[in-house]
Amino acid sequence: MKKTGYLDWDEYFMGIALLSAERSKDPNTSVGSCIVSQDNKILSVGYNGMPRGCSDDEYPWERDADADLENKYLFVCHAELNAILNYTGTNMAHAKIYTTLFPCNECTKALIQVGISEVIYLSDKYSESSSTIAAKRMMKSAGITYTPYQAGGKKVHLDL
């Protein structure tokens, strides 16, 4: 008799996204993503952080500084974009992405361009922001479905 109580695919892939988020050095919002093929093979993972070669000790992690160049937003690569850029294959068409935070409008453009067809997200804490509203509008136009992650049939929320 086989073991019961094992992780289903969604739990497994969101778990990998959560584990990837633990690599982030962002003191406020750690985000992780996991891109998966149609046949449940992991294609790539990513987390939010500074670009390669840009020391995370030299660039700002502030989010409320008075000057733009003292805020993290001009420098940090988001988890979804890093997952796309970390991919070494040739085709992500019809893949899905598990991400701990709903993608912004800029990452959504990249997800559309590489052919991602589904987004499973854990948190939508910026749902009222222009960036998220624009992202959802573009996903709808591009035919990308987006679904809140549900473990064991229950909607799960995470304060990121």
Side-chain angles (χ1 to χ4, degrees), residues 9-10 12-13 16 33-45 83 87 89 91-98 116:
W9 287 118
D10 285 341
Y12 178 60
F13 297 131
I16 290 170
S33 295
C34 179
I35 299 175
V36 180
S37 70
Q38 287 179 297
D39 57 350
N40 292 322
K41 290 186 172 75
I42 296 171
L43 300 177
S44 186
V45 295
Y87 181 57
N91 189 352
M92 281 193 214
H94 309 293
K96 55 187 167 181
I97 187 167
Y98 291 80
I116 298 291

Side-chain angles (χ1 to χ4, degrees), residues 3-17:
K3 173 184 164 185
T4 59
Y6 56 88
L7 297 176
D8 66 25
W9 287 118
D10 285 341
E11 291 169 321
Y12 178 60
F13 297 131
M14 188 58 76
I16 290 170

Side-chain angles (χ1 to χ4, degrees), residues 32 44 51 62 68:
S44 186
E62 300 299 319
D68 283 348

